Amino acid sequence: MEEKLSSVSKKFAPSPIQELSHLAQRCNAINLAEGFPDFPAPPYIKEAAVSAINSDFNQYRHVQGICDHLALIMKRMHGLNINPLTDIAICCGQTEAFAAAIFSIINRGDEVVLFDPCYETYEGCITMAGGIPVYVGLDPPKWTLDPDKLMRSFTTRTKAIVLNSPHNPTGKVFSKGELEVIAEGCRRWDCLVITDEVYEYITFDDQKHVSIASLPGMQERTIITSSLSKTFSITGTCFAFKEPYFQSLPPESCCILLLFGMELHCYVYQGGELDGLLHQLLQHLQSETFMSKLQILLQHHSRKLP
């Protein structure tokens, strides 16, 4: 079977995160490779999921109501005018939607800028699409962006930048000034930004997440991906939303990939049983009380580390 694999897939190695997790299990060690909440999912999430399943509403359906809800959230949070009929689509998990975004825009030989260190799946998706990862290192200890290094990374072959903020693995939240530098480079070199904003609601010490799509001239250049799995600490149970960038969109449109990282990698979510759960989760995102409690809880847990 191995000889039938493509030349690209033969270059792939096992996930370092997965290997470290397996090693931690074998050695009964504390696993810092993955974030596993040490508390149960909120009761209202479990109750909503059970209620949705027991409703027996389990056939194909449109999920336009969820897209409408997401468009309202994007308007309230970022001031973005999103058309829920054309700018939001559904995927299964942030990783899948990121791959879909890459496959939608990257041709063989296109360069994609990555900030180093970065989440491990980015490079694999880019390589599979025939793209070339170009790394721009963030400067420790605060992982700041050097504008000169970034500008030197652009070439006539640059197609996109991947922007993960809040950042995995460092926890960095890109500043407004750094976002403006990235936006200026994209406008100057006529390239796109694919964002990974799965930690958008989890910021500490009065830091605020700003989506680069909200900057002047960037809505039409940005594909946003986000997720509810991290926000609600249910990383094995979520859903994904994706915008097919390759459609013909008006200039004011934003390419939105709003994902709910569900670990159903072999299936496409078509709506149905769990729509009610999704609506409840989206309603909680609009509650300042919920968001405040979430940040306090997670900041308390983060300070347990040395």
Side-chain angles (χ1 to χ4, degrees):
M1 184 65 180
E2 186 174 344
E3 66 274 8
K4 300 294 186 182
L5 295 176
S6 69
S7 58
V8 172
S9 65
K10 288 179 180 178
K11 297 177 183 177
F12 289 153
S15 161
I17 293 177
Q18 188 177 53
E19 289 191 316
L20 287 171
S21 294
H22 288 164
L23 182 61
Q25 284 182 331
R26 291 198 299 271
C27 300
N28 196 28
I30 295 174
N31 184 5
L32 297 181
E34 293 182 77
F36 294 104
D38 59 354
F39 47 87
Y44 59 82
I45 291 180
K46 293 183 283 189
E47 291 166 5
V50 171
S51 176
I53 292 171
N54 287 336
S55 71
D56 287 328
F57 191 72
N58 49 25
Q59 303 303 316
Y60 290 132
R61 65 163 294 187
H62 295 294
V63 290
Q64 195 55 52
I66 295 172
C67 297
D68 293 341
H69 205 153
L70 286 166
L72 292 175
I73 290 175
M74 296 302 293
K75 176 64 175 179
R76 180 180 61 84
M77 288 194 59
H78 303 298
L80 298 173
N81 292 313
I82 305 302
N83 186 339
L85 293 173
T86 59
D87 295 350
I88 302 173
I90 296 179
C91 297
C92 297
Q94 197 278 342
T95 298
E96 182 191 43
F98 178 84
I102 289 292
F103 294 142
S104 296
I105 65 172
I106 298 303
N107 294 312
R108 183 164 300 279
D110 287 344
E111 294 179 350
V112 181
V113 176
L114 297 172
F115 295 116
D116 190 29
C118 66
Y119 185 52
E120 64 179 15
T121 61
Y122 299 158
E123 180 181 359
C125 289
I126 294 166
T127 303
M128 287 179 67
I132 302 170
V134 176
Y135 288 93
V136 174
L138 299 173
D139 295 336
K142 295 187 177 181
W143 307 103
T144 52
L145 173 62
D146 183 331
D148 293 332
K149 283 199 294 188
L150 175 62
M151 292 305 173
R152 288 196 299 270
S153 72
F154 287 100
T155 73
T156 56
R157 296 186 301 276
T158 304
K159 188 69 166 288
I161 294 180
V162 175
L163 174 61
N164 174 208
S165 180
H167 185 254
N168 180 3
T170 68
K172 168 191 175 60
V173 178
F174 280 73
S175 69
K176 185 71 175 294
E178 290 173 323
L179 295 179
E180 289 173 344
V181 169
I182 297 169
E184 172 59 26
C186 290
R187 290 189 294 261
R188 185 185 305 175
W189 290 90
D190 190 25
C191 62
L192 304 171
V193 179
I194 302 174
T195 73
D196 177 349
E197 302 180 25
V198 299
Y199 293 103
E200 60 187 309
Y201 296 103
I202 305 174
T203 58
F204 305 142
D205 300 324
D206 297 322
Q207 294 190 90
K208 298 297 181 183
H209 167 68
V210 176
S211 177
I212 196 170
S214 65
L215 271 57
M218 291 306 295
Q219 181 167 345
E220 62 268 29
R221 293 186 180 276
T222 304
I223 301 174
I224 298 176
T225 72
S226 192
S227 170
L228 291 186
S229 65
K230 304 297 190 296
T231 302
F232 290 95
S233 303
I234 48 173
T235 54
T237 312
C238 347
F239 301 85
F241 290 84
K242 171 192 174 296
E243 158 60 33
Y245 178 80
F246 45 81
Q247 289 185 355
S248 177
L249 299 174
E252 68 275 14
S253 292
C254 180
C255 307
I256 302 295
L257 301 176
L258 298 173
L259 286 66
F260 291 65
M262 188 170 204
E263 302 304 325
L264 297 179
H265 298 301
C266 297
Y267 306 96
V268 176
Y269 176 68
Q270 297 287 351
E273 292 176 332
L274 298 182
D275 282 7
L277 170 60
L278 285 181
H279 279 292
Q280 285 216 23
L281 297 184
L282 293 175
Q283 287 171 358
H284 276 83
L285 289 185
Q286 300 179 75
S287 167
E288 292 185 5
T289 300
F290 168 78
M291 301 311 303
S292 176
K293 288 182 177 179
L294 171 72
Q295 291 172 344
I296 292 172
L297 171 67
L298 295 180
Q299 188 161 20
H300 170 73
H301 280 271
S302 72
R303 287 175 175 168
K304 290 182 180 180
L305 295 174

